Amino acid sequence: MDSIIIRFLDKARTCQTFDELSAVLESCLKDFGFPLWAYSTEYEKSAHEVEPLLKLNFPDKWVEYYIKNNCEQVDPVVTRGKDIYHPFTWDDVLTAQDLSKRELEYQDQAWSHGMRTGLAVPILGAHGAFSMLSFTGDQKPKEMKEHLNANGSELLALAFAYHSMAKDLLKGEALNQRRKVLSVREREVVSWTAYGKTAWEIGEVLNISERTVVFHLESAKRKLSVNNKYHLVMKAVSMGCVDL
């Protein structure tokens, strides 16, 4: 079988969206024996806001149970995985001798939903940011351990490659969404306002009336919930709605 990381990089280089990239990852993992996977991270929604993101194809009933019961707070793969700096099997934490009662209850539920064993790759970013790629198949615990020993380095490279590319795509998609808050004409008049141009001067540059410039400025202020053009410029720039 070809190297999974080489196959992934070869197909991923043409991806334009996060969903396209995730589809490539899913295909590669499936061919590698891991049809089920999950990726958790945080991405920059705006200049001052991050948002958690979970991308996965685990069974619907398990996902519903997991979310409904806030299992991320007790799932040892997540909670204990934050203190592990290398790929590990789920069994490494799910069969620990010091599991709490809640963790043992979670373990029983996971196993009853068919989520018995898998591999996880913790990804530690700047300033303590934590992400994780986790995947599973129908391997027995011993087979999963053997898989990790034989392919751990390549799976680590795959996880970091996907994470790095996902971050770039998510940032770009978030920026595009922020820019769409204002129309093209609104971004133009706000940009010229930032450079100190009056409404009349902007109208001359854009070949529109002064009244039309004022209309677009007022519309932009309403969309960004600000009261004056100075606040409008600062907020539009900080949100990434316009570039200077």
Side-chain angles (χ1 to χ4, degrees):
M1 181 181 292
D2 294 337
S3 166
I4 187 174
I5 183 62
I6 292 177
R7 291 183 57 214
F8 172 77
L9 292 174
D10 183 56
K11 295 180 179 180
R13 60 184 177 177
T14 60
C15 293
Q16 299 297 313
T17 68
F18 173 61
D19 284 342
E20 288 179 4
L21 181 71
S22 298
V24 170
L25 175 71
E26 183 167 322
S27 175
C28 290
L29 285 174
K30 184 176 181 180
D31 290 344
F32 210 57
F34 300 110
L36 302 177
W37 64 282
Y39 169 68
S40 60
T41 190
E42 290 184 338
Y43 74 100
E44 187 179 348
K45 184 178 181 181
S46 69
H48 306 291
E49 183 181 5
V50 294
E51 183 170 294
L53 179 142
L54 181 63
K55 183 76 171 180
L56 75 172
N57 71 345
F58 284 173
D60 291 342
K61 287 186 177 180
W62 172 239
V63 174
E64 181 181 355
Y65 175 86
Y66 196 99
I67 295 175
K68 181 179 180 180
N69 292 278
N70 299 313
C71 291
E72 74 281 356
Q73 299 177 8
V74 70
D75 178 359
V77 174
V78 175
T79 59
R80 299 186 180 219
K82 293 180 179 181
D83 296 321
I84 301 175
Y85 304 99
H86 52 78
F88 61 92
T89 70
W90 294 358
D91 272 15
D92 289 338
V93 292
L94 288 176
T95 59
Q97 296 297 314
D98 60 340
L99 290 181
S100 67
K101 180 179 179 180
R102 290 187 64 204
E103 288 175 323
L104 288 171
E105 291 173 349
Y106 167 84
Q107 178 200 66
D108 290 341
Q109 286 294 331
W111 287 359
S112 70
H113 282 82
M115 308 298 289
R116 296 194 64 85
T117 187
L119 297 177
V121 183
I123 304 168
L124 302 181
H127 310 297
F130 179 78
S131 304
M132 177 175 282
L133 180 63
S134 188
F135 32 88
T136 185
D138 57 4
Q139 297 90 341
K140 300 293 190 296
K142 182 180 179 181
E143 294 173 326
M144 198 66 75
K145 176 65 75 173
E146 292 172 348
H147 210 317
L148 177 60
N149 291 337
N151 304 291
S153 296
E154 192 165 15
L155 292 172
L156 180 64
L158 174 67
F160 273 85
Y162 170 76
H163 174 70
S164 177
M165 299 175 76
K167 283 288 189 180
D168 288 341
L169 289 173
L170 286 166
K171 187 174 182 179
E173 290 173 18
L175 177 59
N176 287 336
Q177 289 301 315
R178 294 199 296 274
R179 293 180 69 86
K180 290 178 182 177
V181 171
L182 301 181
S183 69
V184 174
R185 185 62 85 188
E186 288 166 351
R187 294 200 301 271
E188 288 176 334
V189 299
V190 171
S191 294
W192 283 113
T193 299
Y195 284 108
K197 298 291 186 181
T198 65
W200 180 85
E201 290 172 327
I202 295 172
E204 290 295 298
V205 172
L206 299 179
N207 195 29
I208 57 178
S209 69
E210 179 179 1
R211 182 177 179 179
T212 300
V213 172
V214 172
F215 170 81
H216 287 303
L217 283 172
E218 291 302 315
S219 176
K221 285 193 287 186
R222 285 195 300 272
K223 288 181 179 179
L224 299 189
S225 301
V226 297
N227 296 318
N228 58 68
K229 65 181 182 180
Y230 304 105
H231 190 188
L232 171 63
V233 169
M234 288 188 292
K235 189 167 184 178
V237 172
S238 67
M239 289 178 61
C241 295
V242 298
D243 298 318
L244 296 181

